[in-house]
Every structure is written in structure tokens, then in C-alpha cells.
Amino acid sequence: MSLGNFFPADFARTQIERQLQPGMVVKFEAQMDDGELHEKRFVILDATDSTFTCVINSQISAFIASRAHMAHCQVPIDQANHLFMNWDSHIDCSRIRKYTKSEVLDQLCKNPAWILGMVSNDVLTEISSAIGKSKMIPKAISSLCCASLQKVIQA
């Protein structure tokens, strides 16, 4: 049993919400492209009104690899510098996935261990660059997420 189990639920939720910031890697269940719920890792890009994320995949899919405009938006994240990762992976920055802040917080409150850690500044810089190059992300969302990441990089 963790110490967090002894705090009131609203206090724990506030603490988890405080940790939900750009550059944080979290795990939660989400409906993916195949229509099924999967437990996946995500990089938080912005968590103001909604939660904007990029999914982390262990491998680049054949679908993405065969599309140059998507393939050049894959950012490697190495396990050696990100100890919360089980192996080297790739962050899919070709598109942004949006979730309600409430649904993310609900899952993290049930599973606080799913708050994994922060991405290095070098990888954050690469994420920001890749998002800026994506042809699939609306410019307004791209600008919002890149601005949020820049605040973390410059801190």
C-alpha cells in the first residue's frame, strides 16, 4: 500500500493534476486506430483544458514507415536516458491525440504508478520540431503544443 492511499481523493487528484505537464510520460488506456482499448504510453504536450498527447510505440508501423510525411515525424526515445521506458521506442509526432483532462486524471488517480517520468530536453526539442513539420496537425494545435513544450525546455 502506498502513502497516497491515506490522502483524501480530492487531494490526490490535485497532486496528480499538478504532475500532468508538458513532457511528462504517462500510461493510460485509450481507444487506438484499430478501435480497441489499449494500455499505451503517451507524452503529454499540453494539459490545460484538454490533454494533447503523442503516443509512444515500440516500433514504427509499416503503415507509417511507408508514408514519408509521417515517417519523418517519428522521434526516438531511448531507454538508457529514460529509465521509465522498458526499451527504446518512438514517439509518433505525425499526429496529436486529444483526450479530456478528466478521463486522463481519472485513470491516473486509479493507477498513480502510470505517471512514469519526464522526457529529456533533447527529446522534447525533437518532438517540438517534428510536430511543427507534421502535415496532419492543424496549425493552431501545433502552435499551442509547441509553445507548451518550449516553456519546459527553457525552464
Side-chain angles (χ1 to χ4, degrees):
M1 181 174 276
S2 82
L3 181 60
N5 294 333
F6 295 101
F7 292 110
D10 59 334
F11 177 79
R13 187 176 186 89
T14 300
Q15 297 308 310
I16 289 171
E17 184 172 8
R18 189 173 297 152
Q19 292 180 60
L20 198 63
Q21 60 179 309
M24 178 63 64
V25 174
V26 297
K27 188 182 340 180
F28 59 89
E29 288 185 344
Q31 186 175 12
M32 301 311 288
D33 295 334
D34 64 2
E36 300 292 322
L37 276 179
H38 294 274
E39 188 178 293
K40 297 288 284 185
R41 292 172 188 229
F42 298 85
V43 176
I44 302 296
L45 306 174
D46 184 78
T48 47
D49 297 328
S50 295
T51 305
F52 293 99
T53 70
C54 285
V55 68
I56 300 174
N57 295 306
S58 55
Q59 298 178 344
I60 298 173
S61 72
F63 178 84
I64 290 174
S66 67
R67 288 159 177 79
H69 72 282
M70 295 175 78
H72 80 275
C73 294
Q74 306 305 301
V75 174
I77 180 169
D78 63 318
Q79 191 275 332
N81 291 309
H82 302 88
L83 299 179
F84 52 85
M85 296 297 295
N86 295 334
W87 45 76
D88 294 347
S89 298
H90 294 85
I91 304 162
D92 180 8
C93 299
S94 65
R95 65 186 244 201
I96 291 176
R97 297 169 186 268
K98 178 181 170 184
Y99 301 97
T100 66
K101 195 171 187 178
S102 179
E103 72 182 303
V104 174
L105 287 172
D106 289 348
Q107 288 194 52
L108 294 177
C109 285
K110 290 177 190 169
N111 303 293
W114 283 3
I115 302 167
L116 301 176
M118 287 294 288
V119 173
S120 68
N121 279 356
D122 290 342
V123 173
L124 285 178
T125 300
E126 290 183 47
I127 291 169
S128 184
S129 176
I131 288 170
K133 294 177 197 171
S134 175
K135 295 180 180 180
M136 299 174 62
I137 302 171
K139 192 66 173 163
I141 293 174
S142 171
S143 296
L144 170 75
C145 293
C146 288
S148 293
L149 291 173
Q150 286 304 315
K151 289 178 187 173
V152 174
I153 293 167
Q154 294 171 355

